[in-house]
Amino acid sequence: MSFLVPHVKPGMSILDVGCGPGSITLGFAESVGPRGKVVGLDLGQRAIATANGLAKERGIENSEFLVGNVYSLPFPDESFDIVYCHQVLTHCLAKDGGPVAALKEMRRVCKAGGIVAPREGITNTGRNYPELPGLEQSMEWLVQRVYKNGGEVDPGARLHEFAEKAGFDKEKMRFKVGLSMWMTPEGGLFVPLAGRIKGWRRLLIQICVVLTERLSYGSNWTARTSEPEFLERAMEAGIENASKEEQIKMIQAWQAWTETDGAWRYAK
C-alpha cells in the first residue's frame, strides 16, 4: 500500500475492492479522517463480518463493509476519489470478463481526476530459503487452482495491457515495479521504479511490492494453509496430490520457515 499513501488525503472517499478482513481498509479510514469515507467490499460474508468487528473494536466510524462483486459494483458512476484492490485481478475468471471487466467497473465508479490503484503480483517468480518442499507445494496448489478455475496467475505482468483494454489512456498511467523481500523479523524492503504522470483518471499500478516482515508473512501463510478451505478448494480444482497429508506438510514447512533465523523469500 506504500505506493498509494502519498495520494491519500483527509476528506477523500475510498473503495477497497476485495478488502478481506479490513485491515488495510481501516488504515485508509484513519488516513482520510472523519470527513472522509471508506468502503470495503468483498465476496466473502465471513471476511465482511470480521471487518465489521474490527472496525467496532477500533472505534472507527467512517468505514462501511459490504458483500459484493467487482463485476457489478453497487455504486453510481464517479463515487470515489480512489478505487484500490490488492491481489483481486488474479481471481477474475475469463468467463466473467477477467481483469479487463473488473478494471472497467472500477474505472466507472472512480471520479474524474481520481485514481484506480490495482496492486498485483507475478506469482511464479518467488524463491525461498531454506527451500522447503512444503513451501513450493503450497504455491503450486495456489497456481494450479487459479489456472484450473480460469483465473490470471500473473496479472502483474500484464496490468498495462488489461488497463488499456479497460479504457485507460497509457499516457495517463503511473507504474511502480518492485522486488518484495521478507527476511528480517522487524523490517522489509520497498524498491520503487516509477515516474509521475498526471492525468484524468490516473491508473496507479503496483506490480508486486510489499513492506512486511518474515514473522508476519510466515504466520499469515501458516494460517492460510491451515484453513480447511485451502484443501477443499484444491480438491475441487482437481489438483492431483491434494490430500490432508500434503496439507500438514505445508503447514509444518511454513512454521519451520517462520521460525528459522536467516530465512528469506523474495518475489517480483
Side-chain angles (χ1 to χ4, degrees), residues 68-229:
N69 191 311
V70 67
Y71 299 114
S72 182
L73 297 173
F75 312 105
D77 295 357
E78 301 195 19
S79 294
F80 298 94
D81 296 297
I82 294 174
V83 181
Y84 170 81
C85 73
H86 176 210
Q87 296 292 73
V88 167
L89 301 184
T90 191
H91 300 291
C92 293
L93 308 185
K95 68 181 180 66
D96 298 319
V100 173
L103 285 170
K104 281 182 178 179
E105 186 66 352
M106 286 188 270
R107 183 175 182 269
R108 179 185 68 79
V109 301
C110 184
K111 294 178 182 178
I115 295 173
V116 177
R119 178 187 180 204
E120 301 291 333
I122 304 176
T123 307
N124 289 319
T125 57
R127 183 79 182 270
N128 303 298
Y129 175 82
E131 294 183 332
L132 304 174
L135 306 186
E136 296 307 318
Q137 182 82 303
S138 62
M139 295 296 178
E140 185 60 27
W141 276 22
L142 185 63
V143 168
Q144 285 190 45
R145 197 177 78 209
V146 172
Y147 266 131
K148 289 178 180 291
N149 288 339
E152 182 65 42
V153 175
D154 295 322
R158 301 178 62 197
L159 271 176
H160 61 294
E161 173 192 338
F162 298 144
E164 285 191 59
K165 289 180 178 179
F168 291 94
D169 185 341
K170 66 180 179 181
E171 298 299 325
K172 298 172 183 177
M173 298 180 191
R174 177 185 173 186
F175 296 86
K176 283 192 175 182
V177 182
L179 172 69
S180 303
M181 188 164 185
W182 301 267
M183 183 175 181
T184 67
E186 299 175 352
L189 175 67
F190 169 51
V191 184
L193 301 170
R196 184 168 186 172
I197 302 174
K198 296 181 179 179
W200 181 59
R201 283 186 183 83
R202 287 173 292 169
L203 183 72
L204 211 60
I205 292 177
Q206 187 175 31
I207 306 174
C208 176
V209 269
V210 176
L211 247 165
T212 189
E213 58 193 69
R214 189 189 77 235
L215 296 180
S216 174
Y217 186 78
S219 297
N220 178 64
W221 266 97
T222 300
R224 185 174 185 178
T225 52
S226 298
E227 293 174 353
E229 291 86 352

Side-chain angles (χ1 to χ4, degrees), residues 132-135 248-258:
L132 304 174
L135 306 186
I248 291 171
K249 291 178 184 177
M250 293 178 197
I251 298 167
Q252 293 173 339
W254 278 109
Q255 289 173 332
W257 182 87
T258 305

Side-chain angles (χ1 to χ4, degrees), residues 24-98:
I24 291 176
T25 321
L26 295 178
F28 284 140
E30 291 173 335
S31 296
V32 301
R35 294 187 296 108
K37 174 74 174 180
V38 174
V39 178
L41 182 134
D42 200 278
L43 276 174
Q45 292 186 355
R46 186 184 301 176
I48 294 301
T50 300
N52 279 316
L54 185 59
K56 184 177 181 180
E57 179 183 312
R58 291 170 56 176
I60 296 176
E61 299 180 351
N62 63 334
S63 64
E64 180 182 6
F65 293 95
L66 306 170
V67 175
N69 191 311
V70 67
Y71 299 114
S72 182
L73 297 173
F75 312 105
D77 295 357
E78 301 195 19
S79 294
F80 298 94
D81 296 297
I82 294 174
V83 181
Y84 170 81
C85 73
H86 176 210
Q87 296 292 73
V88 167
L89 301 184
T90 191
H91 300 291
C92 293
L93 308 185
K95 68 181 180 66
D96 298 319

